[in-house]
Amino acid sequence: MNALAASLRAVGGALAFAAGALAQPPQEPKPPAPKATAAPAAQGQDPKPAGPATPLPPVPPMAVQNPFLPFDRARFEAACRALGATEAQLGRFGAEAADVGLARAADDLMRAVSPALAAACKRRDDGDPEAAVALAQVLADAKEPALRAHARYHLARLFVDGDEPELAIRALNDYFAQDLNVSPLDGEAAFFYAQALADVPMPEHALPRFQAFLQWFPDASERFRAAAQQRLGELQRQQESRLHELADGMQRTTRDLRKQRTGKPVQVDQEGYLEQLNQLIEEFEQRESQSSGAPSGNQPSANPANQSQLPDGESNVGELNKRPTLADRWGDMKDADREKIAAKLQKGLPPQYQKMLEEYYKKLGKAGPRK
Amino acid sequence: MLRFLQERVNKSTKDFDARPEAERAATRPESDALAGKQARVQDLMRRLAAKLGNESAPEGGR
């Protein structure tokens, strides 16, 4: 397993968007800190001894050249022909591309020529827990790089939608290492890579990749570009704030708690938040006392205790798990069906995906079902 | 207030973690509620950060 992890990291290190290059690259982010605590320890304080609550995925450094080539339509169509696409299907692809964009049209064509991919995507759309293993099987069986790219993209999307951004990052690391420039899905893959990084959250890595996405994919769907602009704006506003950094850590802990990860590493992170809050309160109190000595004396208070008495509003909490989640469905499955999926995991999948999916299903098991 | 809320979440996390594994697995709504409490503190922290940011309050960079 160590060798596997090392090879994953090595693959990751060779990437480009993961990998992404900017003509004028933003500041190179620091490598992901091997910790899950929200904020760095204050000066003079020892860091906490415990390891991360949630291990962060490897994120390769930004490169300085755009690794994405213009979409080679002839090559893509040749790949589809090799997979059995008919002229009629290729004709529909051409017509559809003008209507819904190249990425969607290409994915529709790929699903048309690969019933296994279509079936796996349908399982995912239906919220079937077997979707992950079905997509991994398509990936394992695919000889054609374009089909592999689509299978890997959909697997990563499944992880993003399933609140598993760390797994999505790992799948997309492989996409950028092995499947780049064979499908017009590259732009969406780049978008979801940045989104997964923001979801972890790893804002220092997400920010330059949203910038790169916007710079390199000017023709991407407006839906993705608008979302990227919005996330980028949020990240930029949050960049210089210790409070946002603290909130980032709390966001990671929220995800841990939702998956019933309540062990020592999470508790250490939580204690760290209290320390950070204490420090912030002290700092604000000091500022308060300094400003109260001024002759005017009637400036608005910056006391955080007052500031935190904010009107109640919609929090993200209300949106959690309203609909049956994958975890619910997994929990509701019969043991025999779960065992069937477990057996499929052991057959024919690349070792790194076998490990990734074992982790995925283990987390599904921990997260559900709701009683 | 934020500190008080975080203290409560910390205590609830410890209490939850101290339960036997089988019992924890059977109390999904409680872990959802626990995550919800942490999310609430996070949300308040974001609002506070945004409010202070709007007021250009000096903060340490990262």
Side-chain angles (χ1 to χ4, degrees), chain A residues 92-109 184-185 188 219-224:
Chain A
R92 272 200 296 279
F93 164 60
E96 208 181 312
D99 287 341
V100 297
L102 270 172
R104 291 300 94 221
D107 197 49
D108 287 347
L109 175 58
L185 283 181
E188 292 188 18
D219 298 327
S221 152
E222 193 49 40
R223 186 165 66 97
F224 289 111

Side-chain angles (χ1 to χ4, degrees), chain A residues 296-311:
Chain A
S296 62
N298 59 352
Q299 293 165 350
S301 169
N303 185 316
N306 291 333
Q307 296 288 357
S308 64
Q309 291 169 3
L310 296 168

Side-chain angles (χ1 to χ4, degrees), chain A residues 285-344:
Chain A
E285 280 173 349
Q286 279 175 5
R287 280 184 206 147
E288 180 81 354
S289 64
Q290 284 165 3
S291 64
S292 67
S296 62
N298 59 352
Q299 293 165 350
S301 169
N303 185 316
N306 291 333
Q307 296 288 357
S308 64
Q309 291 169 3
L310 296 168
D312 287 344
E314 188 71 22
S315 77
N316 293 332
V317 184
E319 296 298 318
L320 297 176
N321 301 315
K322 272 186 178 171
R323 294 180 301 161
T325 62
L326 263 179
D328 293 330
R329 290 171 191 261
W330 174 254
D332 289 340
M333 286 176 89
K334 293 175 186 167
D335 285 347
D337 291 335
R338 278 198 292 263
E339 282 161 16
K340 211 165 69 180
I341 292 178
K344 284 183 181 178

